[in-house]
């Protein structure tokens, strides 16, 4: 990409940061949206290109901000965040014309002759409220969908990842169209002020408790909402598997993604009583290969985001109900906010770790008598954002796919389904509502407008009163698509 032509938008940075600005921000955006500026394909393309250039030109600064917020290892930060955003921009740029094209649909005899189409129109002015664990990607991926669909947008990044929030605020303020793409930084007061305004969609990523606050604030204005929430993602491990591959993929999905601080990371593993110790041995041996004998020294593990979350996680670990049940890890270093990959075997049902979303490097293993019991156990809890199964048993795979309700799932893999832009990403029930990624992002920020087109020909009398018995017969046959009935009625007329 030629970055030499990458200049700030005139007239320079316009960054709104305070709660007092919020009402004005929303009013300004609404009047820009009404002007029609953001609807043009040229505007959408120019903004997507600017965002793409930001990711290319400022890659180093983005990696540095992620290092400062989460000590995110470079490769992880590049692949999950920088590349995650640039590839979404590239896809949107490549597919935009196709996504924007009206979709032709069949029409029925009742409207003959006519054509039908579904036209995607932007919703208007949308609000994206983001979280801290993938602070770059989870902020900008929805923004890409909002822009591609032709909306004006406000991004409220998470204050919990301040370096990335500030960088995005400066870069977007400097290089994107400041009249239609704005960043409001801040925490609860700023978000509360934003939520008092009327938006045409709110896209929220974070925990379910705040999700409920968002939903009730949106209800006041009848605003549609996407809630990208979390929960407890189960991994079912059968015994007839390639154990080494399974162990590596569980580790990669759990500790290799932000040290467990990932919404789709395995939250707990389920396996049979018989197989548990074999699985623990495999996890232990692969973990040693990945992160060494002292994982607290590993440069390939993210730190815990802050001391509040560190204390939350150590509370789960220090729960006396799981005392003596730690079978791998358990080491911690509060000064450096590090917790080693930790596995807990057979935590009691009423322990904190079994009941709360972990969102960190702790992994309980729950044992069952028969592997099939796992399906009922998963379905007895809130619907997870993701569910995973490792098995070679085709029947079990089919049962799992058919009977486990989850936002998404992967068989013999963890987390990687979210890397596919052809698959929707989102929750169900407790794990949220709505979805995005690829074309689903465009659709999420579009209204699907039904358009019926007719000419003036074919305006038959039978549609209009007075409704004689013959007309009623013919109309009934036409409404129900009864071809024989139509012919009979026509002959009888
Ligand atoms: P967080 O603390 O950053 O909060 C999320 C957003 O909510 C922030 O922008 C914050 O400013 C705002 N907020 C906080 N308190 C608020 C209040 N009282 N009123 C209005 N807004 C408020 O992030 P978090 O909630 O700790 O994120 C972790 C959770 O997010 C986990 O449950 C995780 O599973 C989930 N998550 C889900 C996804 C997904 O895509 N489904 C992705 C990442 C994280």
């Amino acid at each position: 990409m030629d970055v030499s032509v990458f200049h700030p938008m005139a007239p320079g940075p316009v960054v709104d940061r305070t709660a007092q600005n919020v009402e004005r921000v929303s009013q300004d955006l609404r009047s820009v949206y009404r002007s029609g500026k953001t609807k043009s394909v040229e505007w959408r393309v120019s903004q997507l290109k600017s965002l793409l250039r930001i990711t290319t030109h400022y890659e180093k600064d983005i990696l540095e901000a992620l290092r400062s917020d989460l000590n995110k290892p470079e490769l992880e930060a590049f692949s999950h965040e920088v590349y995650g955003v640039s590839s979404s921009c590239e896809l949107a740029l490549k597919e935009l014309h196709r996504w924007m094209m009206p979709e032709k649909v069949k029409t029925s005899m009742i409207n003959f002759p006519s054509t039908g189409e579904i036209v995607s129109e932007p919703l208007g002015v949308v609000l994206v409220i983001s979280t801290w664990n993938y602070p770059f990607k989870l902020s900008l991926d929805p923004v890409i969908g909002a822009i591609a669909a032709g909306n004006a947008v406000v991004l409220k990044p998470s204050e919990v990842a301040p370096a990335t929030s500030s960088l995005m605020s400066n870069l977007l303020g400097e290089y994107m169209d400041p009249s239609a793409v704005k960043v409001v930084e801040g925490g609860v007061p700023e978000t509360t002020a934003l939520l008092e305004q009327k938006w045409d969609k709110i896209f929220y990523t974070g925990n379910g408790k705040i999700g409920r606050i968002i939903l009730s604030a949106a209800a006041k204005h009848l605003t549609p909402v996407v809630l990208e929430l979390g929960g407890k993602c189960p991994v079912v491990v059968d015994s007839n598997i390639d154990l080494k591959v399974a162990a590596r993929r569980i580790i990669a999905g759990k500790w290799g993604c932000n040290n467990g601080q990932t919404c789709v990371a395995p939250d707990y593993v389920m396996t049979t009583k018989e197989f548990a110790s074999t699985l623990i041995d495999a996890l232990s041996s692969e973990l040693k290969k990945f992160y060494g004998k002292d994982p607290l020294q590993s440069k390939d593990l993210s730190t815990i985001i802050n001391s509040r979350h560190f204390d939350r996680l150590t509370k789960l670990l220090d729960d006396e109900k799981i005392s003596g049940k730690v079978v791998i890890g358990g080491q911690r270093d509060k000064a450096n906010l590090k917790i080693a990959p930790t596995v807990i075997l057979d935590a009691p049902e009423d322990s904190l770790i079994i009941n709360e979303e972990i969102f960190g490097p702790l992994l309980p293993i729950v044992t069952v008598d028969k592997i099939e019991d796992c399906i009922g156990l998963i379905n007895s809890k809130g619907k997870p954002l993701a569910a995973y199964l490792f098995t070679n048993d085709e029947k079990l795979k089919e049962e799992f796919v058919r009977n486990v309700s989850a936002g998404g799932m992967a068989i013999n893999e963890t987390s990687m389904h979210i890397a596919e832009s052809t698959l929707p990403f989102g929750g169900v029930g407790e794990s949220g509502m709505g979805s995005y990624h690829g074309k689903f992002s465009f659709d999420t920020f579009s209204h699907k407008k039904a358009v019926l087109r007719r000419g003036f020909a074919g305006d038959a009398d039978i549609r209009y009163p007075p409704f004689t018995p013959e007309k009623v017969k013919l109309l009934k046959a036409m409404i129900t698509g009864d071809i024989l009935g139509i012919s009979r009625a026509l002959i009888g007329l």
Side-chain angles (χ1 to χ4, degrees), residues 65-114:
L66 293 167
R67 171 76 64 187
S68 154
D69 285 332
L70 279 144
N71 199 26
K72 211 171 256 214
E74 183 175 338
L75 183 65
E76 223 186 293
F78 175 79
S79 58
H80 295 167
E81 305 246 27
V82 178
Y83 180 72
V85 171
S86 65
S87 60
S88 291
C89 276
E90 277 167 354
L91 181 74
L93 282 164
K94 182 168 159 256
E95 299 290 338
L96 189 60
H97 281 89
R98 207 169 54 83
W99 292 348
M100 286 175 70
M101 246 167 4
E103 184 192 335
K104 301 275 179 214
V105 292
K106 274 200 214 156
T107 53
S108 66
M109 197 173 307
I110 201 78
N111 280 316
F112 182 82
S114 69

Side-chain angles (χ1 to χ4, degrees), residues 111-315:
N111 280 316
F112 182 82
S114 69
T115 58
E117 61 190 20
I118 302 167
V119 173
S120 294
E121 68 173 18
L123 293 167
V125 183
V126 301
L127 171 63
V128 172
I129 302 171
S130 189
T131 185
W132 53 265
N133 61 334
Y134 293 86
F136 191 68
K137 159 99 170 154
L138 294 180
S139 297
L140 295 180
D141 227 15
V143 168
I144 291 167
I147 290 172
N151 299 278
V153 56
V154 174
L155 166 65
K156 211 301 286 174
S158 175
E159 72 283 16
V160 182
T164 315
S165 171
S166 157
L167 182 69
M168 286 189 295
S169 174
N170 290 330
L171 291 177
L172 268 63
E174 200 162 350
Y175 294 109
M176 309 275 301
D177 176 356
S179 72
V181 179
K182 289 183 186 285
V183 179
V184 173
E185 282 196 277
V188 178
E190 288 78 5
T191 320
T192 307
L194 282 165
L195 288 172
E196 276 160 17
Q197 307 303 311
K198 178 173 168 49
W199 305 97
D200 297 304
K201 187 147 208 172
I202 300 174
F203 187 106
Y204 164 80
T205 306
N207 70 67
K209 202 169 138 213
I210 303 168
R212 284 163 169 83
I213 296 176
I214 308 286
L215 199 53
S216 47
K220 214 164 52 189
H221 298 290
L222 218 57
T223 296
V225 172
V226 172
L227 297 179
E228 292 285 341
L229 310 179
K232 292 180 82 67
C233 303
V235 187
V236 174
V237 184
D238 199 359
S239 54
N240 61 350
I241 50 169
D242 184 325
L243 186 55
K244 183 174 168 179
V245 173
R248 287 152 71 105
R249 289 182 185 170
I250 292 169
I251 294 169
K254 177 73 177 180
W255 296 284
C257 291
N258 223 8
N259 207 3
Q261 301 167 103
T262 297
C263 54
V264 289
D267 185 276
Y268 64 105
V269 166
M270 297 169 104
T271 193
T272 58
K273 289 187 174 46
E274 245 183 328
F275 193 62
S277 61
T278 312
L279 177 62
I280 290 165
D281 288 346
L283 287 171
S284 173
S285 134
E286 295 306 314
L287 275 167
K288 255 187 221 121
K289 286 187 212 158
F290 287 11
Y291 304 117
K293 278 196 184 126
D294 182 3
L296 295 183
Q297 303 305 320
S298 170
K299 291 193 169 35
D300 294 322
L301 281 171
S302 297
T303 47
I304 305 305
I305 180 79
N306 56 27
S307 54
R308 182 168 63 86
H309 280 278
F310 185 93
D311 292 344
R312 177 183 65 77
L313 287 161
T314 48
K315 191 172 154 211

